[in-house]
Amino acid sequence: LLRKSKLVPGIRTTQPISEGVGTILEQNPVAETEVAVGTAVSYAVGITELIKVPSVLNLSLEKAKQTLEKAQLAIGLVTTQRHPRLDNVVVNQEPEAGKEVTPQTRVNLVVAKLWTMKVVASEMAKHPDVEKLGVPITTLMKRIERSQFNSTEKLGGLISLPDGQLVAELGLPNIRSAGTLKKILREILR
């Protein structure tokens, strides 16, 4: 419309409104003012009111959902991440806190899932191949806890060891298959 009138767009600003999104709310110079060809016309466009995303970090998943709903935001994708100390609390969010977004924007959450050596032992005990090892799970876990791979953060290092070194590290010369142990660990740790 400006180009048809032989005018050029000037500074464009926005103003949050509840109705009339996308309409021109004001302009300068005002309509019907006589101006020279090529004059710049500044204008303000109505946009949806923006909401600042609240921080939901360190909140339980349930409390995070309530906080986001109260802020007129929607729950997006919720994923879990293993954590050595935290359980069922939000450890990451996207968009991040403080970002301005439109109402009902989806906020993706990452929730901590407690991952301790006790949980690892429980998962290993349930694995269908654990009996192929020929070592009781309690013995295996005691040996792992005495090794340099004695935490959930370090446990993945066992997988990268050559079979003979893994057997020596854990002091388990009677284990039937170091390869099977690595397979079980890989499946549990993914």
Side-chain angles (χ1 to χ4, degrees):
L1 194 59
L2 288 174
R3 284 183 178 53
K4 277 186 179 180
S5 301
K6 297 184 182 171
L7 302 172
V8 296
I11 298 170
R12 179 186 185 271
T13 58
T14 58
Q15 292 180 10
I17 58 171
S18 55
E19 292 182 23
V21 172
T23 59
I24 304 293
L25 303 175
E26 55 187 57
Q27 69 182 52
N28 186 20
V30 295
E32 306 300 323
T33 302
E34 287 193 32
V35 294
V37 170
T39 297
V41 178
S42 298
Y43 56 98
V45 177
I47 61 168
T48 302
E49 194 167 343
L50 297 178
I51 298 169
K52 275 193 179 180
V53 176
S55 174
V56 293
L57 298 178
N58 298 313
L59 297 180
S60 70
L61 179 57
E62 192 56 41
K63 184 69 175 163
K65 286 179 179 181
Q66 291 170 2
T67 301
L68 293 173
E69 287 169 4
K70 186 176 177 182
Q72 298 179 320
L73 298 170
I75 302 301
L77 181 64
V78 177
T79 57
T80 59
Q81 178 182 26
R82 293 178 178 153
H83 197 282
R85 292 175 309 283
L86 301 176
D87 193 31
N88 197 36
V89 295
V90 177
V91 292
N92 199 357
Q93 70 180 72
E94 180 60 39
E96 63 189 31
K99 184 170 183 182
E100 291 188 336
V101 297
T102 57
Q104 298 310 309
T105 293
R106 293 189 173 279
V107 179
N108 297 326
L109 304 175
V110 178
V111 178
K113 170 96 172 112
L114 187 62
W115 192 248
T116 64
M117 292 301 280
K118 187 175 181 178
V119 174
V120 170
S122 172
E123 292 295 313
M124 286 183 75
K126 291 187 270 183
H127 196 281
D129 292 339
V130 76
E131 294 198 14
K132 294 178 183 175
L133 297 174
V135 175
I137 192 70
T138 53
T139 302
L140 179 60
M141 289 311 297
K142 283 179 186 173
R143 299 294 174 89
I144 289 173
E145 288 170 1
R146 287 188 208 143
S147 77
Q148 64 177 324
F149 304 99
N150 60 356
S151 70
T152 55
E153 294 91 350
K154 299 175 185 175
L155 200 53
L158 277 174
I159 297 168
S160 63
L161 294 178
D163 290 358
Q165 190 177 346
L166 182 143
V167 169
E169 176 69 37
L170 297 181
L172 292 170
N174 57 340
I175 193 168
R176 288 189 195 136
S177 172
T180 300
L181 176 57
K182 289 181 187 181
K183 175 185 174 253
I184 291 169
L185 287 171
R186 259 193 302 278
E187 291 175 12
I188 290 171
L189 296 176
R190 69 178 130 123

